[in-house]
Amino acid sequence: MNLKLIVHTVLEDYALPWHGTHGVSHWARVLENGLRLAEVTGASIDVVQLFAVFHDCCRVNEGTDFGHGKRAAEYAAQLQGAVFDLPDDDFRLLYDACAGHTDGVTTGDNTIQTCWDADRLDLGRVGVCPEAARLCTEAAKEPETIKWADGRACFRVIPEIVEAEWGIDTAGWGQV
Ligand SMILES: [Fe+2]
């Protein structure tokens, strides 16, 4: 899977600032949150990575944007088989994870739960501390995990993968 190509394809259609609240650094933190959780939960790594890049990519504003999860799922369906190619079962997980990520649900498939937790662990960037009761997996509820992820979220840390792997120049983005 060529995640750099996927990221740049998605960015061609992304309507909001790349450095914004729901932009590239959020995607990268969600990805790293998800990879950390997947070590424990056993979630599909491909689905976790694609969820990180797709779940907010069809937003049209940085606030309450009804329907952006479903739009992201449909957008991912357009690129499936063209820019990436997941097995059907994994694609269904990606689709459902994107479509349902704003509903506040905490139960369901393990990979989907991991995706949602990866996103919710980054709420500190908008001043919301993740609550264990609103997380899905035991791995995410670990105080050590919340502390690690929230520390990065609050400072809007830009993960190294943004420049090193995705080739995106972050100069001038700042971190807060
Ligand atoms: Fe998100």
Side-chain angles (χ1 to χ4, degrees), residues 21-22 26-27 30 51-52 55-56 59 68 101-102 118-120 122-123 125:
T21 304
H22 296 92
H26 171 57
W27 304 351
V30 172
F51 171 83
H55 75 285
D56 277 336
R59 277 182 162 272
H68 76 269
H101 84 271
T102 58
D119 186 30
R120 291 170 195 174
D122 201 45
L123 279 170
R125 76 194 190 286

mmCIF file of all heavy atoms in Angstrom, residues 21-22 26-27 30 51-52 55-56 59 68 101-102 118-120 122-123 125, ligand 1:
data_model
loop_
_atom_site.group_PDB
_atom_site.id
_atom_site.type_symbol
_atom_site.label_atom_id
_atom_site.label_comp_id
_atom_site.label_asym_id
_atom_site.label_seq_id
_atom_site.Cartn_x
_atom_site.Cartn_y
_atom_site.Cartn_z
ATOM 1 N N THR A 21 -7.349 22.021 11.961
ATOM 2 C CA THR A 21 -7.734 21.136 13.073
ATOM 3 C C THR A 21 -7.996 19.702 12.623
ATOM 4 O O THR A 21 -7.708 18.754 13.347
ATOM 5 C CB THR A 21 -9.018 21.689 13.733
ATOM 6 O OG1 THR A 21 -8.775 23.031 14.145
ATOM 7 C CG2 THR A 21 -9.429 20.853 14.931
ATOM 8 N N HIS A 22 -8.590 19.558 11.447
ATOM 9 C CA HIS A 22 -8.912 18.214 10.953
ATOM 10 C C HIS A 22 -8.025 17.822 9.783
ATOM 11 O O HIS A 22 -8.372 16.955 8.991
ATOM 12 C CB HIS A 22 -10.388 18.146 10.533
ATOM 13 C CG HIS A 22 -11.333 18.346 11.678
ATOM 14 N ND1 HIS A 22 -11.834 19.580 12.016
ATOM 15 C CD2 HIS A 22 -11.816 17.474 12.598
ATOM 16 C CE1 HIS A 22 -12.618 19.460 13.073
ATOM 17 N NE2 HIS A 22 -12.624 18.198 13.455
ATOM 18 N N HIS A 26 -3.418 16.014 12.208
ATOM 19 C CA HIS A 26 -4.422 15.163 12.884
ATOM 20 C C HIS A 26 -4.411 13.766 12.273
ATOM 21 O O HIS A 26 -4.383 12.769 12.994
ATOM 22 C CB HIS A 26 -5.802 15.806 12.771
ATOM 23 C CG HIS A 26 -6.937 14.942 13.224
ATOM 24 N ND1 HIS A 26 -7.006 14.397 14.488
ATOM 25 C CD2 HIS A 26 -8.070 14.513 12.570
ATOM 26 C CE1 HIS A 26 -8.125 13.678 14.597
ATOM 27 N NE2 HIS A 26 -8.767 13.725 13.450
ATOM 28 N N TRP A 27 -4.403 13.690 10.962
ATOM 29 C CA TRP A 27 -4.405 12.374 10.302
ATOM 30 C C TRP A 27 -3.187 11.562 10.770
ATOM 31 O O TRP A 27 -3.305 10.367 11.043
ATOM 32 C CB TRP A 27 -4.338 12.505 8.784
ATOM 33 C CG TRP A 27 -5.417 13.337 8.158
ATOM 34 C CD1 TRP A 27 -6.534 13.853 8.768
ATOM 35 C CD2 TRP A 27 -5.481 13.776 6.790
ATOM 36 N NE1 TRP A 27 -7.277 14.575 7.863
ATOM 37 C CE2 TRP A 27 -6.656 14.550 6.655
ATOM 38 C CE3 TRP A 27 -4.657 13.603 5.684
ATOM 39 C CZ2 TRP A 27 -7.031 15.127 5.430
ATOM 40 C CZ3 TRP A 27 -5.019 14.171 4.460
ATOM 41 C CH2 TRP A 27 -6.195 14.927 4.345
ATOM 42 N N VAL A 30 -3.571 10.438 14.403
ATOM 43 C CA VAL A 30 -4.548 9.343 14.464
ATOM 44 C C VAL A 30 -3.896 8.047 13.975
ATOM 45 O O VAL A 30 -4.086 6.979 14.562
ATOM 46 C CB VAL A 30 -5.809 9.682 13.626
ATOM 47 C CG1 VAL A 30 -6.730 8.476 13.518
ATOM 48 C CG2 VAL A 30 -6.548 10.863 14.239
ATOM 49 N N PHE A 51 -8.047 4.582 7.541
ATOM 50 C CA PHE A 51 -9.028 5.345 8.321
ATOM 51 C C PHE A 51 -8.439 6.699 8.712
ATOM 52 O O PHE A 51 -9.108 7.739 8.614
ATOM 53 C CB PHE A 51 -9.441 4.576 9.577
ATOM 54 C CG PHE A 51 -10.272 5.400 10.528
ATOM 55 C CD1 PHE A 51 -11.636 5.541 10.340
ATOM 56 C CD2 PHE A 51 -9.675 6.053 11.604
ATOM 57 C CE1 PHE A 51 -12.398 6.334 11.205
ATOM 58 C CE2 PHE A 51 -10.430 6.838 12.469
ATOM 59 C CZ PHE A 51 -11.794 6.978 12.267
ATOM 60 N N ALA A 52 -7.199 6.687 9.175
ATOM 61 C CA ALA A 52 -6.568 7.924 9.629
ATOM 62 C C ALA A 52 -6.578 8.981 8.523
ATOM 63 O O ALA A 52 -6.870 10.157 8.764
ATOM 64 C CB ALA A 52 -5.131 7.643 10.085
ATOM 65 N N HIS A 55 -10.878 9.539 7.222
ATOM 66 C CA HIS A 55 -12.105 9.750 7.993
ATOM 67 C C HIS A 55 -12.594 11.202 8.016
ATOM 68 O O HIS A 55 -13.794 11.457 8.085
ATOM 69 C CB HIS A 55 -11.954 9.208 9.424
ATOM 70 C CG HIS A 55 -11.114 10.044 10.321
ATOM 71 N ND1 HIS A 55 -9.739 10.089 10.243
ATOM 72 C CD2 HIS A 55 -11.451 10.889 11.314
ATOM 73 C CE1 HIS A 55 -9.288 10.924 11.152
ATOM 74 N NE2 HIS A 55 -10.302 11.427 11.825
ATOM 75 N N ASP A 56 -11.674 12.161 7.959
ATOM 76 C CA ASP A 56 -12.075 13.580 7.985
ATOM 77 C C ASP A 56 -11.831 14.284 6.648
ATOM 78 O O ASP A 56 -11.972 15.508 6.575
ATOM 79 C CB ASP A 56 -11.284 14.324 9.079
ATOM 80 C CG ASP A 56 -11.905 14.164 10.463
ATOM 81 O OD1 ASP A 56 -13.122 13.903 10.553
ATOM 82 O OD2 ASP A 56 -11.154 14.296 11.463
ATOM 83 N N ARG A 59 -14.572 16.665 4.949
ATOM 84 C CA ARG A 59 -15.176 17.772 5.693
ATOM 85 C C ARG A 59 -15.226 19.024 4.819
ATOM 86 O O ARG A 59 -14.340 19.257 4.001
ATOM 87 C CB ARG A 59 -14.324 18.089 6.931
ATOM 88 C CG ARG A 59 -14.619 17.187 8.124
ATOM 89 C CD ARG A 59 -13.761 17.615 9.307
ATOM 90 N NE ARG A 59 -14.280 17.087 10.554
ATOM 91 C CZ ARG A 59 -15.200 17.704 11.294
ATOM 92 N NH1 ARG A 59 -15.666 18.883 10.935
ATOM 93 N NH2 ARG A 59 -15.627 17.157 12.405
ATOM 94 N N HIS A 68 -20.080 14.073 7.286
ATOM 95 C CA HIS A 68 -18.736 13.986 6.695
ATOM 96 C C HIS A 68 -18.158 12.579 6.786
ATOM 97 O O HIS A 68 -17.325 12.193 5.973
ATOM 98 C CB HIS A 68 -17.780 15.020 7.299
ATOM 99 C CG HIS A 68 -17.265 14.718 8.666
ATOM 100 N ND1 HIS A 68 -17.875 15.134 9.818
ATOM 101 C CD2 HIS A 68 -16.166 14.021 9.082
ATOM 102 C CE1 HIS A 68 -17.204 14.729 10.866
ATOM 103 N NE2 HIS A 68 -16.153 14.034 10.458
ATOM 104 N N HIS A 101 -17.859 7.134 12.454
ATOM 105 C CA HIS A 101 -16.900 7.621 13.460
ATOM 106 C C HIS A 101 -17.402 8.800 14.287
ATOM 107 O O HIS A 101 -16.813 9.121 15.318
ATOM 108 C CB HIS A 101 -15.529 7.926 12.825
ATOM 109 C CG HIS A 101 -15.392 9.275 12.188
ATOM 110 N ND1 HIS A 101 -15.709 9.528 10.876
ATOM 111 C CD2 HIS A 101 -14.931 10.447 12.677
ATOM 112 C CE1 HIS A 101 -15.455 10.784 10.592
ATOM 113 N NE2 HIS A 101 -14.986 11.379 11.664
ATOM 114 N N THR A 102 -18.491 9.426 13.874
ATOM 115 C CA THR A 102 -18.988 10.576 14.633
ATOM 116 C C THR A 102 -20.197 10.228 15.494
ATOM 117 O O THR A 102 -20.750 11.105 16.146
ATOM 118 C CB THR A 102 -19.390 11.723 13.676
ATOM 119 O OG1 THR A 102 -20.376 11.223 12.773
ATOM 120 C CG2 THR A 102 -18.203 12.234 12.903
ATOM 121 N N ALA A 118 -8.451 5.746 18.064
ATOM 122 C CA ALA A 118 -7.294 6.496 17.548
ATOM 123 C C ALA A 118 -7.691 7.946 17.293
ATOM 124 O O ALA A 118 -6.923 8.875 17.575
ATOM 125 C CB ALA A 118 -6.785 5.836 16.268
ATOM 126 N N ASP A 119 -8.888 8.146 16.775
ATOM 127 C CA ASP A 119 -9.402 9.495 16.511
ATOM 128 C C ASP A 119 -9.738 10.210 17.819
ATOM 129 O O ASP A 119 -9.326 11.358 18.048
ATOM 130 C CB ASP A 119 -10.642 9.376 15.627
ATOM 131 C CG ASP A 119 -11.177 10.713 15.155
ATOM 132 O OD1 ASP A 119 -10.381 11.654 14.998
ATOM 133 O OD2 ASP A 119 -12.399 10.797 14.919
ATOM 134 N N ARG A 120 -10.450 9.542 18.704
ATOM 135 C CA ARG A 120 -10.894 10.184 19.961
ATOM 136 C C ARG A 120 -9.720 10.530 20.869
ATOM 137 O O ARG A 120 -9.789 11.483 21.653
ATOM 138 C CB ARG A 120 -11.893 9.271 20.681
ATOM 139 C CG ARG A 120 -13.210 9.186 19.918
ATOM 140 C CD ARG A 120 -14.150 8.114 20.434
ATOM 141 N NE ARG A 120 -15.204 7.890 19.429
ATOM 142 C CZ ARG A 120 -16.128 6.937 19.507
ATOM 143 N NH1 ARG A 120 -16.155 6.121 20.548
ATOM 144 N NH2 ARG A 120 -17.024 6.793 18.545
ATOM 145 N N ASP A 122 -7.215 11.953 20.020
ATOM 146 C CA ASP A 122 -6.629 13.210 19.547
ATOM 147 C C ASP A 122 -7.544 14.403 19.818
ATOM 148 O O ASP A 122 -7.355 15.480 19.260
ATOM 149 C CB ASP A 122 -6.321 13.101 18.042
ATOM 150 C CG ASP A 122 -5.269 14.118 17.601
ATOM 151 O OD1 ASP A 122 -4.249 14.273 18.303
ATOM 152 O OD2 ASP A 122 -5.480 14.786 16.556
ATOM 153 N N LEU A 123 -8.527 14.228 20.674
ATOM 154 C CA LEU A 123 -9.473 15.323 20.959
ATOM 155 C C LEU A 123 -8.828 16.484 21.705
ATOM 156 O O LEU A 123 -9.361 17.590 21.702
ATOM 157 C CB LEU A 123 -10.649 14.787 21.781
ATOM 158 C CG LEU A 123 -11.738 14.075 20.967
ATOM 159 C CD1 LEU A 123 -12.718 13.380 21.908
ATOM 160 C CD2 LEU A 123 -12.473 15.084 20.084
ATOM 161 N N ARG A 125 -6.592 18.309 20.892
ATOM 162 C CA ARG A 125 -6.249 19.432 19.997
ATOM 163 C C ARG A 125 -7.352 20.478 19.970
ATOM 164 O O ARG A 125 -7.115 21.618 19.559
ATOM 165 C CB ARG A 125 -5.952 18.924 18.576
ATOM 166 C CG ARG A 125 -7.187 18.545 17.792
ATOM 167 C CD ARG A 125 -6.840 17.735 16.552
ATOM 168 N NE ARG A 125 -7.982 17.562 15.679
ATOM 169 C CZ ARG A 125 -9.013 16.747 15.910
ATOM 170 N NH1 ARG A 125 -9.070 16.040 17.026
ATOM 171 N NH2 ARG A 125 -10.004 16.656 15.040
HETATM 172 FE FE FE B 1 -10.783 12.942 13.193
#
